[in-house]
Structures are given as C-alpha cells and as structure tokens.
Amino acid sequence: MNLDIVGNRKTKKYSRKELLYRLVWVIGKFFFRNSPRIFFGFRRSLLRVFGASVGKAVNIYPSAIIYMPWNLAIGDYAAIGEDALIYNLGKVTIGNYATISHRAHLCAGTHDYSDQTLPLLKPPITIKDNAWVCAQAFIGPGVTVHEGAVIGAAAVVTKDVDPWTVVAGNPARMIKQRILKTDS
C-alpha cells in the first residue's frame, strides 16, 4: 500500500478565513520579528490585533515564532523565550506565570499516519499556570503540562505531565516532585 500524497494535497486543511489571516500575518510577523527586544508591549498588542488572547506583563521575545496568533492564549506574567517555536495549528494555551524557554518547541499539529491520505490533525496543547518548559524541550500534540510542572532541557514530552513534577529525557520521565521553597 502506498501513501496517497496526491489525496493529501487535495484536502482542504484551512478555511478561507484562516488562509487570509495567514497571508496578513506574514506582514504582521515582519513587524513582530523586527521590533526591538525590549518592546514587549508592542508585541503583545500586535498579537492581540491578530486574535491572540494575551495577558498583562507577558514577555515574548521577537525571535519567537508564532504560527497562528489567533490560536494562542497566554496568561498574565508568562513568557516565551528567544527562538521558541509555537507551532499552533491547534489551540495553544499557556497559563499565568508559565515560561516557555528559548528554542522550546510546542507542536500542536500532526498527521493521522493510520490514514493513507495523512489528514492534518490539530490537537491542542495546554501549559498550565506556573509550569516551565526548559530550553530546547519538545511538547507534542494533545499534551497538557499541568500546574507547576518543569520540563527539563531537551526533553521530549508526548504524554500529559502531572502537576508539580519534574520530567526529563527522551521520552520524558518523572525525575522528582517539584517543591517550592517558601519565605520563612
């Protein structure tokens, strides 16, 4: 059996509205990427213009790649670091005080490999409050990183991560519980 690549290419993957938004975002992305590093407010506003839900005091660096702003919701005091890739064909939700470190990859798009036409799938990704996705980590489609979890550098996460745990490796495995020190 051969894959039906011709059938895949003929399949409608995006609505006309999404195609129009993507075309206009090419222009918006130019201003986003070329804005001075400290212009966090400008980038928040620009993303909102393109349909993103962006909380207060969010820091998103200009080298971050956000495929579809209208599929992004990010809470207050969150951050997306340098060269992070938010491949949000599906909805990506990032909670309050969550951090997506530099070169992390959130991949909310895949294909159904069991179908010979390889239809496009857009499973959402949720990063809950106080979670931290460390440098160069990969978060796969349909994953929820629960509150307070830490994803170690270069980890590959393909399953949900429990609250207040630290995971690392490929595939990611639990290393320990995350315990916050409190002021005494």
Side-chain angles (χ1 to χ4, degrees):
M1 173 175 89
N2 290 327
L3 296 176
D4 184 4
I5 302 305
V6 173
N8 173 275
R9 291 180 181 165
K10 288 181 179 177
T11 303
K12 185 178 177 181
K13 296 170 182 69
Y14 304 101
S15 68
R16 287 179 185 251
K17 183 178 175 183
E18 279 183 311
L19 291 172
L20 177 62
Y21 282 176
R22 289 181 73 184
L23 181 64
V24 177
W25 176 235
V26 169
I27 298 164
K29 191 169 23 176
F30 172 82
F31 292 103
F32 182 95
R33 290 193 61 78
N34 290 293
S35 61
R37 190 170 198 265
I38 62 171
F39 280 29
F40 297 111
F42 169 76
R43 287 187 293 280
R44 286 191 298 266
S45 296
L46 186 60
L47 288 171
R48 288 179 187 123
V49 166
F50 282 90
S53 172
V54 182
K56 64 182 176 184
V58 170
N59 284 356
I60 302 174
Y61 287 84
S63 60
I65 298 169
I66 299 170
Y67 265 73
M68 297 181 172
W70 50 94
N71 284 339
L72 177 65
I74 185 166
D76 298 338
Y77 300 97
I80 298 176
E82 295 186 46
D83 299 313
L85 172 54
I86 311 300
Y87 188 62
N88 55 339
L89 302 183
K91 183 83 168 175
V92 170
T93 304
I94 300 169
N96 298 317
Y97 302 95
T99 299
I100 310 302
S101 291
H102 64 281
R103 294 194 177 110
H105 181 174
L106 277 55
C107 183
T110 189
H111 295 271
D112 181 356
Y113 62 83
S114 67
D115 183 325
Q116 69 181 17
T117 63
L118 300 170
L120 181 64
L121 303 174
K122 304 172 187 180
I125 291 174
T126 303
I127 310 296
K128 299 276 187 162
D129 296 352
N130 300 298
W132 177 18
V133 178
C134 295
Q136 297 184 341
F138 174 85
I139 308 296
V143 168
T144 296
V145 175
H146 285 277
E147 182 177 7
V150 175
I151 311 303
V156 175
V157 178
T158 58
K159 297 179 182 172
D160 291 357
V161 177
D162 289 335
W164 299 99
T165 58
V166 178
V167 301
N170 179 4
R173 291 181 193 82
M174 183 182 155
I175 303 299
K176 61 183 168 182
Q177 287 296 127
R178 180 181 184 196
I179 299 169
L180 295 180
K181 296 177 184 177
T182 58
D183 296 334
S184 337

